[in-house]
Amino acid sequence: MIMLVGPVGAGKTSLINAIHNDCRKAEKTSSICFTDGAIDTPGEYAQMPRFYSALAVTATSAKLVLMIQDATDRRITLPPGFAAMFPRPVVGVVTKIDAPGADQENARLRLLQAGIQEPFFYVSAHTGAGLEKLTEYLARKEV
Ligand SMILES: Nc1nc2c(ncn2[C@@H]2O[C@H](COP(=O)(O)OP(=O)(O)O)[C@@H](O)[C@H]2O)c(=O)[nH]1
Ligand SMILES: [Mg+2]
């Protein structure tokens, strides 16, 4: 089981669907959602400190946390050192690398600021780029 954390619109639900070869359009996630193999979380939980404890507690049900950073999002959305709050290893994933204006280097710096260690994964849920590397890694980790 993996848990996906990241701001609203970062591509968490799309990534889960893409990993599972599910082509449904991602609907807005309004509560913590257990699907097969992945825990999807509302972006608001990563953006509002009063929800952090809920994320940390829910992470105990997962083996690994994927911290999702949108390659097109230049805002600082993840607080400094955010990764340290989780009781599970946190792996950084940059999404939307296909999108116009995607800036992988900026996204990389955002994940580093959040206290996550490299290597990161760079993916697109739309084109499928990078997904194989990520799914192979997850299979190896037996999450
Ligand atoms: N270009 C592009 N858009 C994406 C990608 N993944 C998600 N999106 C778009 O980003 C928006 C938010 O996606 P969603 O999965 O709902 O984000 P969540 O709030 O983190 O669950 C949607 O309009 C998606 O179509 C991607 O890999 N590439
Ligand atoms: Mg969602």
Side-chain angles (χ1 to χ4, degrees):
M1 186 73 95
I2 54 173
M3 180 169 95
L4 283 81
V5 176
V8 174
K12 299 175 294 296
T13 305
S14 299
L15 180 58
I16 291 175
N17 291 347
I19 286 175
H20 292 112
N21 282 324
D22 186 335
C23 297
R24 274 176 309 192
K25 197 166 173 297
E27 303 290 343
K28 176 99 181 69
T29 311
S30 54
S31 59
I32 292 176
C33 170
F34 285 70
T35 64
D36 47 349
I39 306 169
D40 197 2
T41 63
E44 288 84 353
Y45 282 46
Q47 293 176 267
M48 295 185 207
R50 67 177 179 278
F51 289 120
Y52 290 176
S53 58
L55 283 181
V57 169
T58 306
T60 60
S61 301
K63 207 167 166 187
L64 198 74
V65 173
L66 297 188
M67 192 67 70
I68 308 301
Q69 171 67 50
D70 178 343
T72 67
D73 189 357
R74 300 180 157 276
R75 298 169 304 161
I76 296 175
T77 46
L78 305 171
F82 195 37
M85 190 192 81
F86 292 91
R88 295 290 180 270
V90 178
V91 172
V93 178
V94 175
T95 54
K96 307 191 192 180
I97 60 169
D98 66 286
D103 183 343
Q104 295 191 23
E105 179 56 20
N106 185 70
R108 173 179 167 265
L109 293 177
R110 294 282 174 264
L111 289 173
L112 288 172
Q113 281 169 337
I116 305 160
Q117 288 180 3
E118 297 192 281
F120 303 143
F121 292 90
Y122 296 84
V123 304
S124 165
H126 283 189
T127 66
L131 288 183
E132 202 175 302
K133 254 191 189 168
L134 177 60
T135 52
E136 276 170 17
Y137 172 82
L138 295 176
R140 233 179 13 253
K141 291 278 176 190
E142 296 177 356
V143 288

